[in-house]
């Protein structure tokens, strides 16, 4: 029987949030939840959490282990504060998105056990930081405000103006281990997956292709060591549309690619995900390109990139896990090419 850990704060916050979600849009929920969270903090804690909207930290996002991060970690909050913080994060996400976030956090306990006492970085499901930029307000004529929830393998970023979520990227998730390795003795079963759909749909698509289509889709025999366009906005905008075009796929393959894209878009709250899908439809699904590099079966390094006028998706799984199993450490993200962080879009570099 599979066993999972459900933190007390997550259990407390989820029913309340689900009830709220039925009646109020995400922007309203985020604003109210931000206010409720701030009300639980003392003055010193508020100074840790609150930054100016224009602060350089707002656009400094990281998914690697770090000694210091912006904001206040869940680990330094009491139960009430932690519940309020998780409710705030939940307000910007779909139920699926919140579950992904929870599973990525819980995987830190697995890494801690696998790495043992000599590990370089602290591994803690509570070492995820909440930061607010600007003043949460329902007045759309005022400066917007923003939320960051970030730690190892998670970076979630929202910008809210009035009662509208105007941006929700960069959106990053990672999984280490991506699949629970044989020999792990803990609260997950061998073979459990942290982010299964992101990989499985990619393998399904490349696996459905004949040799001629694979020649179009596979742009490199070896996968890169890391995602290539998680840096500045210019790098993402300049990312080449490699691989096979939508129009070269048959209907079943197009549906698989669509479901793969929706796996990323639908992490956000339903109305935000709807706006993401609408933008893709306005551009046209026919604008998508799907590029693959590396092995076409699990267990060896692999990579894919999905490029369209308004977004960029990357996934890479080449690093070994803490037990040395190859290709069991995954990174993947969704970026808005019309401008992450509600910033103006970068102009493509001259070729």
């Amino acid at each position: 029987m599979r066993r999972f850990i459900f933190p007390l704060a997550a259990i407390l916050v989820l029913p309340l949030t689900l009830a709220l979600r039925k009646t109020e849009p995400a922007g309203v929920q985020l604003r109210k939840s931000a206010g409720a969270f701030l009300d639980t903090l003392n003055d010193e804690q508020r100074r840790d959490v609150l930054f100016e909207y224009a602060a350089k930290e707002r656009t400094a996002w990281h998914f690697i282990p770090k000694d210091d991060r912006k904001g206040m970690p869940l680990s330094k909050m009491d139960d009430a504060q932690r519940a309020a913080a998780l409710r705030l994060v939940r307000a910007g996400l779909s139920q699926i998105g919140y579950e992904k976030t929870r599973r990525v956090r819980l995987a830190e306990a697995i890494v801690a056990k696998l790495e043992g006492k000599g590990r370089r970085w602290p591994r803690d499901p509570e070492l995820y930081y909440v930061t607010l930029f600007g003043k949460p307000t329902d007045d759309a004529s005022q400066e917007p405000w923003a939320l960051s929830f970030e730690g190892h393998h998670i970076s979630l970023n929202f910008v809210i103006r009035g009662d509208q979520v105007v941006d929700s990227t960069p959106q990053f998730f990672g999984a280490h281990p991506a699949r629970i390795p044989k020999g792990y003795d803990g609260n997950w079963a061998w073979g459990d997956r942290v982010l299964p759909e992101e990989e499985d749909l990619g393998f399904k698509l490349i696996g459905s292709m004949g040799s001629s289509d694979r020649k179009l889709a596979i742009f490199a025999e070896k996968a890169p060591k890391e995602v290539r366009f998680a840096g500045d906005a210019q790098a993402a905008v300049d990312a080449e549309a490699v691989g096979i075009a939508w129009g070269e796929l048959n209907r079943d393959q197009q549906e698989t690619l669509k479901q793969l894209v929706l796996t990323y878009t639908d992490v956000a709250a339903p109305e935000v995900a709807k706006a993401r899908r609408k933008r893709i439809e306005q551009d046209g699904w026919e604008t998508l390109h799907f590029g693959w590099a590396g092995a076409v079966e699990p267990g060896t390094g692999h990579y894919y990139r999905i490029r369209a006028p308004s977004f960029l998706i990357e996934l890479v799984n080449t690093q070994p896990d803490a037990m040395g199993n190859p290709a069991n450490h995954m990174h993947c993200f969704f970026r808005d090419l019309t401008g992450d962080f509600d910033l103006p879009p970068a102009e493509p570099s001259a070729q």
Side-chain angles (χ1 to χ4, degrees), residues 3-8 11 102 106 109 125 184 186-188:
R3 296 168 291 159
F4 298 97
I5 303 170
F6 289 84
L8 176 61
I11 295 173
R102 188 186 71 86
L106 293 182
Y184 171 73
N187 290 294
W188 298 57

Side-chain angles (χ1 to χ4, degrees), residues 61 63 170 172 226-232 235-236 312 314 333 335:
W61 65 289
F63 59 87
F172 184 97
E226 184 54 277
V227 288
R228 298 184 59 193
F229 303 103
D232 60 26
L312 173 67
E314 274 192 285
F333 67 73
R335 297 198 68 172

Side-chain angles (χ1 to χ4, degrees), residues 55-318:
K56 66 181 185 303
E57 289 84 358
R58 186 172 74 85
T59 58
W61 65 289
H62 302 279
F63 59 87
I64 61 175
K66 288 172 63 68
D67 290 319
D68 295 299
R69 289 187 184 272
K70 60 193 177 187
M72 180 180 179
L74 298 173
S75 60
K76 291 188 177 180
M77 301 178 191
D78 62 30
D79 286 345
Q81 292 167 339
R82 193 175 300 113
L86 290 172
R87 180 170 180 166
L88 170 58
V89 174
R90 177 65 177 88
L93 300 172
S94 64
Q95 184 172 348
I96 291 172
Y98 187 79
E99 174 64 10
K100 288 180 189 289
T101 304
R102 188 186 71 86
R103 290 175 70 87
V104 172
R105 287 176 49 220
L106 293 182
E108 287 293 279
I110 301 174
V111 181
K113 189 165 186 176
L114 294 178
E115 290 181 337
K117 295 182 179 180
R119 58 184 179 270
R120 162 64 180 87
W121 302 102
R123 306 294 190 181
D124 184 352
E126 304 298 291
L127 204 58
Y128 289 82
Y129 292 67
V130 177
T131 317
L132 295 175
F133 299 89
K135 179 182 178 181
T137 175
D138 61 354
D139 188 347
S141 68
Q142 299 298 311
E143 185 177 61
W145 63 279
L147 163 68
S148 164
F149 184 67
E150 191 171 86
H152 182 221
H153 280 167
I154 294 175
S155 184
L156 299 172
N157 302 275
F158 301 90
V159 179
I160 303 93
R161 181 177 288 109
D163 287 335
Q164 182 181 3
V165 179
V166 295
D167 213 331
S168 54
T169 61
Q171 170 189 296
F172 184 97
F173 288 107
H176 179 206
R179 182 188 297 272
I180 307 307
K182 200 169 186 177
Y184 171 73
D185 181 20
N187 290 294
W188 298 57
W190 170 50
D192 274 339
R193 311 274 296 285
V194 178
L195 300 170
E197 295 86 1
E198 287 82 350
E199 276 197 306
D200 289 350
L201 287 167
F203 279 121
K204 180 181 178 181
L205 180 54
I206 195 68
S208 71
M209 296 181 190
S211 59
S212 59
D213 284 346
R214 283 194 181 184
K215 287 181 180 179
L216 295 174
I218 298 175
F219 66 93
E221 291 301 318
K222 186 176 181 180
K225 293 182 179 180
E226 184 54 277
V227 288
R228 298 184 59 193
F229 303 103
D232 60 26
Q234 189 65 58
V237 168
D238 289 341
E240 185 182 1
V242 295
I244 190 168
W246 173 273
E248 298 290 337
L249 303 173
N250 63 38
R251 288 188 178 181
D252 288 343
Q253 291 167 337
Q254 289 174 348
E255 182 60 26
T256 300
L257 179 52
K258 184 175 183 179
Q259 291 305 311
L260 178 55
V261 171
L262 296 184
T263 298
Y264 289 84
T265 62
D266 291 3
V267 164
E271 74 195 68
V272 179
K274 183 178 180 180
R276 290 174 168 183
R277 294 194 300 268
K278 183 178 179 180
R279 183 177 296 165
I280 297 171
E281 290 164 1
Q282 288 172 340
D283 291 336
W285 286 96
E286 66 274 10
T287 62
L288 269 65
H289 281 73
F290 173 80
W292 187 276
V296 296
E297 295 181 356
T300 306
H302 50 276
Y303 167 95
Y304 66 70
R305 184 190 314 170
I306 306 171
R307 180 69 158 81
S310 63
F311 73 87
L312 173 67
I313 288 170
E314 274 192 285
L315 177 144
V316 68
N317 189 345
T318 56

